[in-house]
Amino acid sequence: MPDGPSDFLWGSATAAHQVEGGNRHSDWWEYEQQGRLPFRSGDACRHYERYAEDFDLARALGQNAHRFSIEWSRLEPADGVWDEAALAHYVDVVAALRARGLEPVVTLHHFTNPAWFLRAGGWTRADAPARFARYVDRVARALAPSVRWWLTINEPTVYAMEGYVLGEWPPCRPWAWRAAVTVVRRMAVAHSAAYAVLHRHRSDARVGFAHSAPLVLPCRPTSLGDRLAAGVRDAVLNRAFFRLIGAAAGPRPRPGAMDFVGVNYYTRHVVKSEGLGLGRLVGHVCQAPHHGGDGPRSAIGWEVYPEGLAAVAARYAGYGLPVIITENGIATGDDALRAEFLRGHLAALDGAIAAGVPVAGYFHWSLIDNFEWAHGMGARFGLASVDATTLARTPKPSADVYAEACRRGRAAADGSSAAARLSR
């Protein structure tokens, strides 16, 4: 838990491939050049050179923390070959955050892999966890003295689904269910190994992973099929990885290999049954308005449902650990909608804290508009826009909504400080 009001983590997030540009040794870059993905990241936002400017922006918006990722493929461009200059770059990034009073929260794997690693089988390899732990050890030796907060893997279930079930991300293997299960299992072992490595380098490290946490509900609560489909979807997306790392929620919680629960919340899944059969058991997300889902949607079709943030935060508090909202945001070109999204979700966050949920931080996705994977640069999540030609950063009016919450130390416009309540 935070030690006091000033220790509540108010920040925003970025990921290396989405903002840095020029990640030439990654699997995503390789697939982009081969034409196997719909967009090319190219220079992205050139954050690799302009990180200090972006951190100035975060600080000017009242934030006291920043979540960013290390690009594994920069550090290890070939198997067993290490780029010391790339590692020194990330040492400088952490120093730049510290110089601005921003607590660094480091993600070690955010969807991308070294191209050599994926060519050799990637996360389906039996030795994948050992290779990942070797990389984590290299990073920890350099950064652990200055970094306390770590996220080992971002959204492992999403990575497996997108790459091995939907087939839209590298390695682009649709309906490879068996491989997807193997990948999730390997990532769970890798997370636990990284957890041990990080604690070996720093005894007071705070280590978790960033979990994609949709609120899953049955479309028709009276339908047995819908309830079963929602239950299966919830088990696959929201519970399986926790079990694999030895965590259990309930009256006798068991934290397993984590010191906090990282929650990425964007929307809810209102699930309708599709019947029996592999691939159909999880149902589909109903788009009809009869369940109350007639509110605004993001540019990529996700329903805006602020109440779900409080619900998932309360649920994951069941592991007996602090909860950090590691991502929350909306893809939209309508900044008034982003402002509305922020107000609604920050109010839900404040309500959860008032109800006793031990929330230790909140990170908006994202600090700046960036390369949004299979959506390219068109899905705009940022608090600041990035000019396509000059790459100039310009804060949007919605950024002021979040900045106000950061500066006053609470989410909602009324009520006592959320962070103060946590410290009681």
Side-chain angles (χ1 to χ4, degrees):
M1 294 292 293
D3 299 320
S6 63
D7 296 305
F8 189 94
L9 301 175
W10 290 104
S12 53
T14 57
H17 189 76
Q18 295 181 261
V19 295
E20 286 183 344
N23 278 332
R24 290 174 173 80
H25 300 292
S26 74
D27 54 353
W28 267 83
W29 184 275
E30 182 169 284
Y31 275 52
E32 288 167 4
Q33 307 314 304
Q34 293 172 355
R36 300 174 69 179
L37 295 170
F39 299 99
R40 294 189 178 188
S41 54
D43 285 340
C45 307
R46 296 194 61 179
H47 174 79
Y48 198 82
E49 295 88 11
R50 304 179 70 148
Y51 63 88
E53 175 186 350
D54 290 334
F55 298 161
D56 285 341
L57 171 63
R59 189 60 201 168
L61 293 175
Q63 299 172 27
N64 66 8
H66 184 71
R67 178 189 167 198
F68 73 99
S69 75
I70 305 289
E71 179 55 49
W72 182 5
S73 69
R74 288 190 187 273
L75 268 61
E76 193 179 5
D79 187 7
V81 176
W82 301 94
D83 188 330
E84 296 300 330
L87 184 57
H89 166 81
Y90 288 112
V91 171
D92 291 343
V93 167
V94 170
L97 288 168
R98 287 285 181 204
R100 290 160 176 79
L102 296 167
E103 184 75 21
V105 178
V106 174
T107 307
L108 291 159
H109 185 277
H110 199 124
F111 295 150
T112 56
N113 303 287
W116 64 262
F117 176 75
L118 190 66
R119 286 191 226 113
W123 288 97
T124 64
R125 291 176 58 102
D127 66 349
R131 289 173 181 268
F132 184 67
R134 180 180 67 179
Y135 149 69
V136 173
D137 182 72
R138 197 85 176 195
V139 174
R141 274 187 274 159
L143 297 188
S146 300
V147 176
R148 187 186 186 202
W149 295 90
W150 300 86
L151 292 157
T152 57
I153 300 172
N154 183 74
E155 300 185 346
T157 53
V158 170
Y159 174 82
M161 289 291 290
E162 293 286 351
Y164 295 86
V165 178
L166 300 177
E168 295 182 356
W169 295 1
C172 300
R173 292 179 56 188
W175 309 116
W177 286 95
R178 183 173 296 180
V181 172
T182 298
V183 165
V184 171
R185 290 182 178 275
R186 298 272 194 263
M187 284 187 153
V189 175
H191 163 80
S192 297
Y195 180 89
V197 168
L198 293 165
H199 276 277
R200 185 166 68 245
H201 282 280
R202 181 163 180 162
S203 60
D204 68 341
R206 294 294 176 262
V207 183
F209 67 97
H211 169 60
S212 174
L215 176 65
V216 179
L217 301 169
C219 177
R220 299 163 296 182
T222 58
S223 165
L224 177 59
D226 287 5
R227 293 202 309 272
L228 287 174
V232 172
R233 179 180 287 252
D234 188 63
V236 171
L237 298 183
N238 284 334
R239 287 182 280 159
F241 199 82
F242 288 88
R243 289 199 301 270
L244 289 172
I245 66 168
R252 295 182 179 178
R254 186 173 67 247
M258 57 182 180
D259 303 309
F260 64 92
V261 184
V263 171
N264 292 359
Y265 175 76
Y266 289 95
T267 189
R268 66 173 175 172
H269 291 183
V270 182
V271 181
K272 196 168 186 177
S273 173
E274 290 186 328
L276 301 177
L278 186 62
R280 303 178 69 187
L281 292 175
V282 297
H284 71 274
V285 178
C286 180
Q287 303 294 336
H290 61 79
H291 51 69
D294 54 353
R297 291 182 177 270
S298 74
I300 54 179
W302 295 349
E303 178 192 3
V304 176
Y305 190 70
E307 298 91 335
L309 179 63
V312 298
R315 174 179 184 174
Y316 289 106
Y319 287 96
L321 295 170
V323 174
I324 296 179
I325 308 303
T326 40
E327 289 181 25
N328 177 241
I330 182 172
T332 183
D334 180 354
D335 197 55
L337 178 56
R338 177 173 291 101
E340 178 186 345
F341 179 98
L342 275 161
R343 292 188 187 99
H345 285 77
L346 291 172
L349 176 72
D350 210 55
I353 295 171
V357 179
V359 182
Y362 174 92
F363 290 82
H364 182 267
W365 184 271
S366 174
L367 175 62
I368 55 178
D369 288 339
N370 55 40
F371 178 78
E372 187 54 36
W373 308 112
H375 299 284
M377 296 295 291
R380 303 188 179 277
F381 279 91
L383 293 171
S385 62
V386 178
D387 185 273
T389 302
T390 67
L391 299 180
R393 279 73 159 146
T394 304
K396 303 171 185 177
S398 61
D400 292 335
V401 175
Y402 186 44
E404 183 182 356
C406 295
R407 289 169 181 145
R408 70 177 172 242
R410 64 177 183 268
D414 54 5
S416 60
S417 163
R421 287 197 292 273
L422 279 173
S423 65
R424 289 174 187 166

